[in-house]
Amino acid sequence: MSLRFWQRVRLAPGVTLNLSKSTASLSFGPRGAKYTVSPRGNRTTLGLPGTGLFYTVHDSKGAARPHTAARDKLTLGFFRRLVTPPEEKAFVDGLRALHESEEDEALSQLETADSLADATWMAGMIRLKRGAFAQARLHLETALAAGDELGVHFSKYDLAPLIDLPIAKDVFAHVSPTERGTRLALVEICEASEDSSDAMMHLDQLLEIAPDDPVVLLSFVQVASDMSGECDLTRRVVALSAGTQNHTPIDTGILLYRARALAAKGLPDAAIEVLTRAGRRRKGRPKRLLQQIRYDRALLYEEVGRKAQARREFEKLYADAPGFEGLAERLGLR
């Protein structure tokens, strides 16, 4: 498996139901700007529609609220219950339980409503949160197969659920009941199950749906790296990452894998240039990612015969991270 520099969809503990490890919440608002209500306080979410990137601003005082509280949307009156199909009632009751942090009850209700794509989708996300990958995969594949039915019941009750995938510090990917969100979650499940082939199948579909989504591109280059040795994938990594700038931590990660692909194609000098560019921006980048960039560049310096420069890089890295895997042996310190 390739190194991971972000918590990806290991929903427990890295990814949560709407940003809280212990409290579920529901979000409302237009595309690209969401307001989320939860017992721990409210927050505004602003982002770039279609990019999978956004940031959040927390409001512990809870000054502003949507016009209709989430609980009110999920309350069926006596007479409405009489005419609501049983599985739809279970769906609504499951979401209300989730909103009130009663996850076991929520899962029980949602799995009862297994003929509804939205209930199956949410049950899959809860199973994913618990690390039950086989059950999560079955639920999400079933929801995906429902096609246009996915999202129908959420829309009926005017709800916009979000699952958040942390990609880097303060940067998250939206996962909602859409084909894109569902396939992103399935990529993570396939990766957790070491099924790179099916992960790549979902990523191929995602690249058609959202070719400019940096989250999708990062996932693709990581999975392609796991399947090293396939020349076509290496070529695709080089081609798809060609326009990547170093604006965000996601870009920095993509550049690392671009450099590895260039090196695999016998272009070490080009790879060194990419790694140098990737390492120039440090603010907001995971420390482990920057260390890996330095290590990869030092290896390439050795490969092209710049041994003194390689040694300096290894020594600087050792001073910063003496426990970096394999570094002490390379420096002859063990």
Side-chain angles (χ1 to χ4, degrees):
M1 300 292 288
S2 59
L3 290 168
R4 302 299 184 198
F5 307 104
W6 297 271
Q7 294 171 306
R8 299 177 71 204
V9 173
R10 308 293 184 264
L11 273 182
V15 179
T16 63
L17 299 173
N18 291 324
L19 290 175
S20 172
K21 290 182 181 177
S22 60
T23 304
S25 56
L26 294 171
S27 301
F28 310 88
R31 187 167 177 259
K34 300 277 182 194
Y35 194 88
T36 303
V37 180
S38 81
R40 292 192 172 186
N42 306 327
R43 65 186 156 267
T44 302
T45 299
L46 303 172
L48 302 174
T51 67
L53 302 178
F54 66 95
Y55 65 92
T56 60
V57 179
H58 291 263
D59 172 20
S60 59
K61 296 179 180 178
R65 288 181 176 273
H67 295 300
T68 305
R71 184 182 176 114
D72 293 342
K73 290 176 180 285
L74 296 170
T75 299
L76 296 174
F78 175 77
F79 291 106
R80 191 175 180 187
R81 277 189 171 274
L82 294 177
V83 296
T84 301
E87 292 202 336
E88 189 171 326
K89 284 190 286 189
F91 169 69
V92 172
D93 290 345
L95 291 183
R96 187 173 66 251
L98 186 60
H99 184 60
E100 294 172 352
S101 303
E102 298 172 0
E103 191 175 282
D104 288 340
E105 174 64 16
L107 185 58
S108 175
Q109 293 284 357
L110 291 166
E111 290 187 331
T112 297
D114 59 1
S115 69
L116 303 184
D118 290 348
T120 302
W121 186 87
M122 187 58 83
M125 288 299 176
I126 295 173
R127 288 294 184 188
L128 184 52
K129 177 178 184 290
R130 295 180 170 196
F133 299 126
Q135 291 167 296
R137 182 173 183 172
L138 180 60
H139 284 324
L140 293 176
E141 286 176 344
T142 300
L144 186 63
D148 292 341
E149 293 180 24
L150 190 58
V152 167
H153 283 84
F154 284 121
S155 296
K156 179 176 179 178
Y157 289 91
D158 194 23
L159 298 174
L162 288 176
I163 310 298
D164 302 325
L165 287 68
I167 302 301
K169 183 180 179 182
D170 298 327
V171 181
F172 296 77
H174 291 191
V175 174
S176 56
T178 61
E179 181 179 357
R180 174 191 175 275
T182 307
R183 287 193 186 277
L184 273 173
L186 284 166
V187 168
E188 301 302 332
I189 293 172
C190 291
E191 278 286 89
S193 307
E194 299 187 359
D195 186 352
S196 295
S197 178
D198 273 7
M200 188 57 69
M201 179 270 292
H202 288 296
L203 284 164
D204 283 336
Q205 292 296 316
L206 283 165
L207 285 169
E208 292 186 15
I209 297 167
D212 298 321
D213 188 330
V215 174
V216 172
L217 180 54
L218 177 60
S219 291
F220 174 82
V221 297
Q222 287 180 325
V223 173
S225 179
D226 290 345
M227 303 172 71
S228 59
E230 296 195 21
C231 294
D232 182 60
L233 284 179
T234 302
R235 178 190 60 78
R236 289 181 66 192
V237 169
V238 172
L240 290 170
S241 62
T244 302
Q245 302 300 312
N246 196 12
H247 298 314
T248 71
I250 293 177
D251 295 333
T252 308
I254 292 170
L255 289 173
L256 170 63
Y257 288 100
R258 173 174 174 77
R260 289 180 175 181
L262 287 167
K265 290 183 69 65
L267 301 170
D269 288 321
I272 289 171
E273 188 279 327
V274 170
L275 290 170
T276 300
R277 180 156 51 97
R280 282 187 185 134
R281 292 201 173 182
R282 308 182 69 82
K283 186 176 180 180
R285 273 57 174 174
K287 188 174 182 179
R288 184 67 176 80
L289 172 58
L290 294 172
Q291 291 167 350
Q292 188 67 50
I293 287 170
R294 170 163 277 175
Y295 185 79
D296 278 32
R297 187 171 61 176
L299 290 177
L300 289 169
Y301 282 149
E302 276 193 340
E303 182 179 330
V304 298
R306 295 158 67 177
K307 297 189 181 299
Q309 200 164 1
R311 177 76 187 191
R312 285 195 296 271
E313 286 287 298
F314 285 134
E315 288 183 3
K316 288 178 182 178
L317 179 56
Y318 183 81
D320 184 49
F324 195 96
E325 184 178 358
L327 183 57
E329 290 86 349
R330 184 169 288 277
L331 288 168
L333 300 177
R334 289 183 184 174

